């Protein structure tokens, strides 16, 4: 729980917001969402098995789509900002790896609640210590075309965008595995573009449409990965093909009764 809270929750937030203070947001997002590729490489190193071709193809297609959707800014980049964005990417990878560990005996709600609570404490310490700039204004804010008290959007972000999202994410990881769920997580940028179009009126360009299709295509390719259990089942089916008994073979078998 401590590793999940400090690295996968607080660490990702601190690293990402530190990175976007030095490099463009789109570039930081692109680096952070390389987590699925990092997981593929991690599995490659750990098992010493080359990933299946369909997984490698899905990785290339999905990342190409991500580049089109996010549209990373060009120009010179702050090396420290790039490194910190890479730290955020590793934190996301840890989020998927620990989320899959149902053998820990911690239900998704308990893991999310404990992780977010401890993560909030870590972020609070970082703010109070001056590690990150922090300020708050408790005033009415513009919200969904109107005006609302400050606590209304805070409550919605806390309940829907954070608590519900983390619990649903952990449950999905345990059902689908780290690889497929991490690639499905790339669809977040596609839905973000759709929501921005619907609520903020931000146009979706042709490049973003193509990028979204590529991301979905990459997810499909990764989904087509053949598991070891599937391969064993196919081998078993082949081994169980009936072998015809030639004529007279029954007479040649020894009589066990004798």
């Amino acid at each position: 729980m401590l590793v999940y809270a400090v690295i996968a929750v607080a660490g990702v937030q601190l690293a990402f917001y530190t990175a976007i203070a030095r490099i463009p947001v789109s570039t930081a997002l692109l680096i952070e969402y390389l987590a699925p590729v990092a997981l593929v490489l991690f599995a490659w190193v750990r098992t010493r098995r080359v990933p299946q071709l369909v997984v490698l193809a899905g990785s290339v297609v999905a990342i190409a789509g991500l580049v089109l959707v996010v549209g990373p800014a060009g120009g010179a980049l702050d090396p420290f900002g790039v490194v910190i964005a890479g730290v955020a990417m590793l934190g996301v990878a840890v989020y998927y790896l620990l989320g899959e560990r149902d053998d820990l005996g911690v239900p998704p709600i308990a893991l999310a609640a404990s992780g977010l609570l401890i993560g909030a404490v870590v972020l609070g310490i970082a703010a109070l210590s001056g590690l990150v700039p922090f300020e708050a204004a408790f005033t009415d804010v513009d919200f969904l075309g109107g005006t609302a008290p400050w606590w209304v959007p805070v409550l919605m972000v806390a309940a829907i965008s954070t608590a519900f999202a983390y619990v649903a994410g952990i449950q999905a990881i345990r059902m689908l595995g780290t690889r497929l769920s991490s690639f499905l997580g790339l669809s977040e940028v596609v839905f973000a573009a759709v929501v921005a179009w619907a609520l903020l009126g931000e146009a979706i360009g042709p490049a973003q449409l193509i990028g979204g299709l590529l991301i979905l295509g990459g997810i499909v390719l990764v989904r087509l990965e053949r598991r070891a259990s599937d391969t064993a089942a196919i081998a078993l089916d082949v081994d169980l093909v009936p072998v015809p008994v030639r004529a007279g073979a029954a007479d040649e078998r020894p009589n066990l009764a004798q």
Side-chain angles (χ1 to χ4, degrees), residues 191-240:
F191 283 100
V194 173
V195 171
W197 167 72
L199 298 182
L200 304 178
E202 296 183 2
I204 299 178
Q208 289 180 303
L209 289 175
I210 297 174
L213 293 176
L214 288 176
I215 290 176
L216 295 177
I219 294 171
V220 171
L221 289 174
V222 173
R223 181 65 181 86
L224 294 176
E225 177 190 13
R226 179 172 294 175
R227 302 291 182 180
S229 57
D230 299 334
T231 305
I234 293 175
L236 184 61
D237 292 340
V238 173
D239 292 339
L240 292 180

Side-chain angles (χ1 to χ4, degrees), residues 46-119:
R46 184 184 62 180
T47 63
R48 296 183 181 180
R49 290 183 179 179
V50 179
Q52 296 178 21
L53 183 60
V54 69
V55 174
L56 296 176
S59 302
V60 173
V61 171
I63 296 305
L66 183 63
V67 171
L68 291 177
V69 173
V70 175
L77 296 177
D78 185 341
F80 180 74
V82 173
V83 171
I84 293 300
V87 173
M89 180 265 293
L90 294 177
V92 173
V94 171
Y95 162 77
Y96 284 108
L97 289 173
L98 292 183
E100 190 184 28
R101 295 288 301 276
D102 54 358
D103 58 331
L104 299 178
V106 182
I109 292 181
L111 181 60
S114 303
L116 293 175
L117 179 60
I118 300 172

Side-chain angles (χ1 to χ4, degrees), residues 1-243:
M1 285 186 181
L2 286 174
V3 173
Y4 183 85
V6 175
I7 298 179
V9 178
V12 171
Q13 307 303 322
L14 286 174
F16 177 76
Y17 285 104
T18 301
I20 63 176
R22 296 173 174 269
I23 61 177
V25 175
S26 58
T27 303
L29 276 174
L30 177 60
I31 296 174
E32 181 179 8
Y33 278 98
L34 290 177
V37 179
L39 289 171
V40 171
L41 296 177
F42 175 74
W44 189 347
V45 172
R46 184 184 62 180
T47 63
R48 296 183 181 180
R49 290 183 179 179
V50 179
Q52 296 178 21
L53 183 60
V54 69
V55 174
L56 296 176
S59 302
V60 173
V61 171
I63 296 305
L66 183 63
V67 171
L68 291 177
V69 173
V70 175
L77 296 177
D78 185 341
F80 180 74
V82 173
V83 171
I84 293 300
V87 173
M89 180 265 293
L90 294 177
V92 173
V94 171
Y95 162 77
Y96 284 108
L97 289 173
L98 292 183
E100 190 184 28
R101 295 288 301 276
D102 54 358
D103 58 331
L104 299 178
V106 182
I109 292 181
L111 181 60
S114 303
L116 293 175
L117 179 60
I118 300 172
V121 173
V122 174
L123 291 174
I125 294 174
L128 293 175
S129 65
L131 181 63
V132 293
F134 177 82
E135 61 180 11
F138 303 100
T139 60
D140 293 344
V141 295
D142 296 332
F143 185 67
L144 296 179
T147 303
W150 63 269
W151 54 267
V152 173
V154 169
L155 183 61
M156 289 196 64
V157 169
I160 300 176
S161 303
T162 306
F164 173 77
Y166 267 86
V167 173
I170 296 171
Q171 185 62 40
I173 294 170
R174 293 183 178 182
M175 295 175 64
L176 302 175
T178 57
R179 181 168 296 171
L180 180 57
S181 58
S182 64
F183 276 90
L184 280 171
L186 293 178
S187 61
E188 179 180 345
V189 297
V190 180
F191 283 100
V194 173
V195 171
W197 167 72
L199 298 182
L200 304 178
E202 296 183 2
I204 299 178
Q208 289 180 303
L209 289 175
I210 297 174
L213 293 176
L214 288 176
I215 290 176
L216 295 177
I219 294 171
V220 171
L221 289 174
V222 173
R223 181 65 181 86
L224 294 176
E225 177 190 13
R226 179 172 294 175
R227 302 291 182 180
S229 57
D230 299 334
T231 305
I234 293 175
L236 184 61
D237 292 340
V238 173
D239 292 339
L240 292 180
V241 173
V243 178

